[in-house]
Amino acid sequence: MKETIDSLRFRITKRFGTKTVLQDFALEVRGKQFITFLGPSGCGKSTALNIIAGLIPATEGEVWIDGERITHLPPEKRGLGMVFQNYALFPHMTVFVNIAFGLQLQRRPADEIRRRVQEMLELVQLPAFEDRYPGQLSGGQQQRVAIARALVLHPRLLLLDEPLSNLDAKLRIEMRAEIKRLHTSLGLTSIYVTHDQVEALSLSDWVVVMKDGILMQQGPPQEIHDQPVSVFVADFMGFRNFFPAKIAALGPDRDVEAVGNGLRIRGKTRHAFSSGASVVAAIRPDDVVIGGNPADPNSFRGKVDIVEYLGRENETILTLENGSRLWVRAAVCMVPGDNVTVVLPQDRVIFLPAEGTGEVT
Amino acid sequence: MRRGRPGEPSELDLMAIACLLPSFLYVLVMFVYPFFYGVFQSLHPLKVDGFSLANYIAFFSDEYQYKTVAITFRLAVPNTIIVVAFGLLFAYSMRRGILLERTITTILVLPISLGVILLSQGILGFYGGKGWLNQMLLGLGIIEEQLVLTHNFTGVMLSLFMQQFPFCFLMLLGYISGIDPSIENSARTLGATPWTVFRRIMLPLIAPGLAIAFALVFVMSFATFPSAILLGQPTGATRTIAIAAYAQAFEMFDMPYASAIAVIMGLFQLAGLLVIILLRKRMVTAATMGVGKR
């Protein structure tokens, strides 16, 4: 069995005509990791995956696997496995032949092919489906076959292009666990492309956030989730509340106090700001605390506008006294028109550089 | 309009029938009736009272007549294969879009808009004895004698190709570009070369479209009439079965005999279609069979 890769390294630029899809997108990762390219549609994440697979040529740049330059190899010589969003099974072939296809091309003996296909069908929990045609399977089953078809060749790197986005919500969670199980138990190196941050956080060892063909932030999921470095990444990670401000005071231990739009907010930052710099304070709706003394720091008075019932909690939209909107998620149930005091806990407020605030609505 | 649940036959309602009626009447009057009238007429020859197969017997016992079947096949079969092969080649290479695609497509499709007569005139002017091609080749000293490309078998083939290629190309392009490119991509990542992708993945998926292309081009070629007259030798080498029927109808004024020839022509076209359907079935089965299961 071919081992998985030790390292993947690339630096690529891709232009379609005058449109730049990937701008000097560079990454270096170790093997046996689960890496996710995360970003909104059109950010170039699928293009990057296709370039690694060899299906699209890069305009500039190189891709290296284990120190070997593979940029000019055609896809069939790269030894990578790929799973597509729409499954891409061969509709005129049975499940067996679909999975056996790659082994047949390698001219393996018939009994080996049979054994390996059977193993794969058991691994993806579809035994006894070998004589069905793809059209006779559900979406989830088709995606299992597609995964089996890629894994049966023991690819040194597995590429998954939004494999779950055509499935319904329940199945998506099931398959997500399934993919994680296969990745771990087979000791694979996987690159997974998605626009869903929950998928990215739950699956990955390493998350790469992209926007407009540019790498915005990379790191372990906890770091991306808790310490986004830009407003874009913060917005993507569920920081719903953004307050433009200017730095008023810098304290020890990364403490920051900023003033903007009539609000004086305290929080933390990872950035080296100077006094007077334009920043954005950000906090997640679920980190806002309802109730407290309006005289305390980071406490503000507001009026409830809209309440949405979400089951275990309510999402409430408040208008603060200065006119800013604040999203709050809490179990407390309020009524539109209520006057309340909210606290933005200081260790939950992060300060980010102001550029890019235009994207936040 | 009421609709049945999926899987249940929906109830016919008056509105649907009323909407269908005009087209149904049209087909009845313009196709079904003339067709059966022709068949009926062919079985009632001029010189015999009542029902008789005399016209059919006459056709198959006269070499001048039954030879037209062979001539027509000799034109239609190679032409069909050449047209579909070129159509497939062009459509397959253009399936993902190419540079100047719109311009190239327009040039390829232009002959359809010209009509057979203008096209034939053009072919005569270009490929004829004193045409540009011969003049040029003679002038450059590439050939010493004129090439005879018109008023013979080759002329008809040229004309048929130019008329039918655009149809075939457009149809196949629509068919092939409708196939999800990720199917092809997944085959590549599984280790298939472009040729293997074509042979084992794309060709079987294109097969239904290919069969339709074969069928349409064959039927059109088999019925060829203006090209065979304008660019061929209508009394000799390219006397197709359509010309034979025309001659009986409008030169000999024997409508029943002409009808019989038309019916015979229809039967041969039908036979051609059957062969195409059978070949298609075989092709798909062969592609579906896995090496691992042999």
Side-chain angles (χ1 to χ4, degrees), chain A residues 55 74-76 80 84 86 88 90-93 96 101-102 104-105 110 114 131 133 149 153, chain B residues 180 182-183 185-194 196 200-201 204-205 288 290-293:
Chain A
L55 296 168
E76 63 268 23
L80 314 182
F84 296 79
N86 51 4
F90 308 132
H92 57 298
M93 298 178 176
F96 182 94
F101 184 76
Q104 290 170 0
L105 294 180
R114 174 148 285 285
D131 292 328
Y133 282 88
R149 184 178 65 173
L153 299 176
Chain B
D180 182 355
S182 64
I183 289 181
N185 285 342
S186 65
R188 291 297 297 277
T189 60
L190 292 168
T193 57
T196 309
R200 287 208 52 198
I201 308 296
L205 295 179
T288 322
V291 185
K293 285 200 152 184

Side-chain angles (χ1 to χ4, degrees), chain A residues 326-337:
Chain A
L326 182 75
W327 274 263
V328 180
R329 233 177 226 212
V332 186
C333 183
M334 288 170 288
V335 179

Side-chain angles (χ1 to χ4, degrees), chain A residues 158-170:
Chain A
L158 181 65
L159 309 172
L160 303 113
D161 190 0
E162 306 216 22
L164 304 183
S165 47
N166 281 4
L167 304 177
D168 64 59
K170 187 168 171 286

Side-chain angles (χ1 to χ4, degrees), chain A residues 144-162:
Chain A
R144 282 165 200 267
V145 174
I147 292 170
R149 184 178 65 173
L151 288 181
V152 76
L153 299 176
H154 304 313
R156 51 184 179 158
L157 175 62
L158 181 65
L159 309 172
L160 303 113
D161 190 0
E162 306 216 22

Side-chain angles (χ1 to χ4, degrees), chain A residues 288-291 298-300 318 320 326 328 340-344:
Chain A
V288 178
V289 176
I290 291 178
N298 273 17
S299 294
F300 307 101
L318 305 169
L320 300 182
L326 182 75
V328 180
V340 293
T341 301
V342 289
V343 181
L344 314 183

Side-chain angles (χ1 to χ4, degrees), chain B residues 14-278:
Chain B
L14 282 174
M15 191 64 193
I17 294 174
C19 290
L20 269 175
L21 206 58
S23 47
F24 182 72
L25 280 177
Y26 183 84
V27 171
L28 202 67
V29 173
M30 301 302 289
F31 176 72
V32 178
Y33 172 72
F35 176 75
F36 282 104
Y37 180 75
V39 175
F40 176 84
Q41 206 184 23
S42 72
L43 293 166
H44 291 79
L46 284 181
K47 291 171 197 133
V48 188
D49 275 337
F51 176 87
S52 158
L53 286 170
N55 283 333
Y56 292 90
I57 294 162
F59 182 86
F60 285 108
S61 37
D62 182 351
E63 197 196 343
Y64 187 58
Q65 299 289 36
Y66 69 70
K67 217 172 62 182
T68 59
V69 175
I71 289 173
T72 314
F73 267 111
R74 267 214 308 275
L75 273 172
V77 173
N79 178 64
T80 307
I81 292 170
I82 292 170
V83 166
V84 176
F86 273 88
L88 180 64
L89 189 72
F90 275 77
Y92 193 76
S93 15
M94 289 173 72
R95 70 193 183 285
R96 299 273 190 101
I98 56 165
L99 203 67
L100 299 178
E101 180 170 358
R102 205 170 274 224
T103 318
I104 292 170
T105 310
T106 310
I107 293 170
L108 291 177
V109 170
L110 207 59
I112 304 183
S113 62
L114 297 178
V116 187
I117 309 294
L118 194 59
L119 194 70
S120 305
Q121 286 300 327
I123 293 173
L124 283 175
F126 188 82
Y127 293 98
K130 298 264 177 264
W132 294 7
L133 184 74
N134 269 316
Q135 301 281 8
M136 191 178 74
L137 293 179
L138 283 169
L140 292 172
I142 295 171
I143 52 170
E144 287 176 3
E145 259 177 76
Q146 268 183 16
L147 294 175
V148 185
L149 298 171
T150 53
H151 297 300
N152 60 7
F153 189 81
T154 318
V156 183
M157 289 285 281
L158 279 172
S159 165
L160 286 178
F161 179 82
M162 287 178 201
Q163 289 167 55
Q164 294 167 352
F165 170 78
F167 281 110
C168 181
F169 161 72
L170 278 188
M171 213 194 78
L172 287 176
L173 184 65
Y175 203 92
I176 297 173
S177 53
I179 296 173
D180 182 355
S182 64
I183 289 181
E184 208 178 319
N185 285 342
S186 65
R188 291 297 297 277
T189 60
L190 292 168
T193 57
W195 170 244
T196 309
V197 172
F198 175 74
R199 202 172 49 83
R200 287 208 52 198
I201 308 296
M202 293 300 274
L203 198 56
L205 295 179
I206 300 167
L210 218 49
I212 297 169
F214 265 113
L216 286 179
V217 176
F218 174 74
V219 168
M220 284 197 292
S221 316
F222 203 85
T224 181
F225 178 67
S227 308
I229 290 185
L230 295 169
L231 288 158
Q233 281 175 289
T235 51
T238 69
R239 188 175 187 266
T240 62
I241 190 164
I243 295 177
Y246 173 82
Q248 282 307 319
F250 299 107
E251 287 166 15
M252 312 304 243
F253 301 106
D254 188 345
M255 268 308 170
Y257 195 177
S259 299
I261 298 175
V263 170
I264 290 165
M265 181 171 132
L267 289 174
F268 278 114
Q269 286 174 319
L270 215 59
L273 294 187
L274 277 178
V275 171
I276 290 165
I277 291 170
L278 289 177

